[in-house]
Amino acid sequence: MYENDLPLAQIAHLLDIPEDALRTLVAQHRAVGGDATLVALTVEEAARRLGIGRTKLYEYVSTGEIASVKIGSLRRIPAEAVNDFLTRQLGAPDFGTAA
């Protein structure tokens, strides 16, 4: 917790938004970290944005589900490739969910 943190419940009340929505937003903001203007992410940065591990991200890269480029000896994931992947996942049928 940061020194200057106000209670989120109080802030949510002042903003007239649900407390859990504010907590989610704050958690996402803190989790992303780094420079939001980057156009090419490390594997670790891309995995963190997706909320998955490095190994799973490398699996998606090797199958071509997430685009990547080599810059010298470095593997980089274009920031828009992360968004494209999520967009495709939103449209994919999810057979694992309960009816």
Side-chain angles (χ1 to χ4, degrees):
M1 188 154 180
Y2 295 98
E3 271 183 75
N4 297 328
D5 272 358
L6 292 173
L8 284 179
Q10 193 176 4
I11 295 170
H13 177 72
L14 291 170
L15 294 173
D16 195 28
I17 61 173
E19 181 181 347
D20 57 337
L22 181 59
R23 287 191 184 281
T24 301
L25 181 63
V26 169
Q28 288 172 345
H29 176 71
R30 287 183 181 159
V32 171
D35 184 354
T37 62
L38 291 176
V39 295
L41 308 169
T42 65
V43 170
E44 291 80 7
E45 290 167 335
R48 187 172 53 243
R49 285 190 181 189
L50 289 169
I52 61 174
R54 282 178 352 121
T55 304
K56 190 65 177 176
L57 188 77
Y58 274 117
E59 187 180 308
Y60 288 139
V61 166
S62 68
T63 62
E65 291 183 67
I66 295 181
S68 71
V69 294
K70 289 268 302 203
I71 301 173
S73 62
L74 305 172
R75 174 74 53 194
R76 292 294 181 256
I77 312 297
E80 64 269 6
V82 174
N83 295 335
D84 293 344
F85 173 77
L86 285 175
T87 301
R88 286 192 308 277
Q89 295 304 305
L90 286 172
D94 187 6
F95 297 110
T97 60

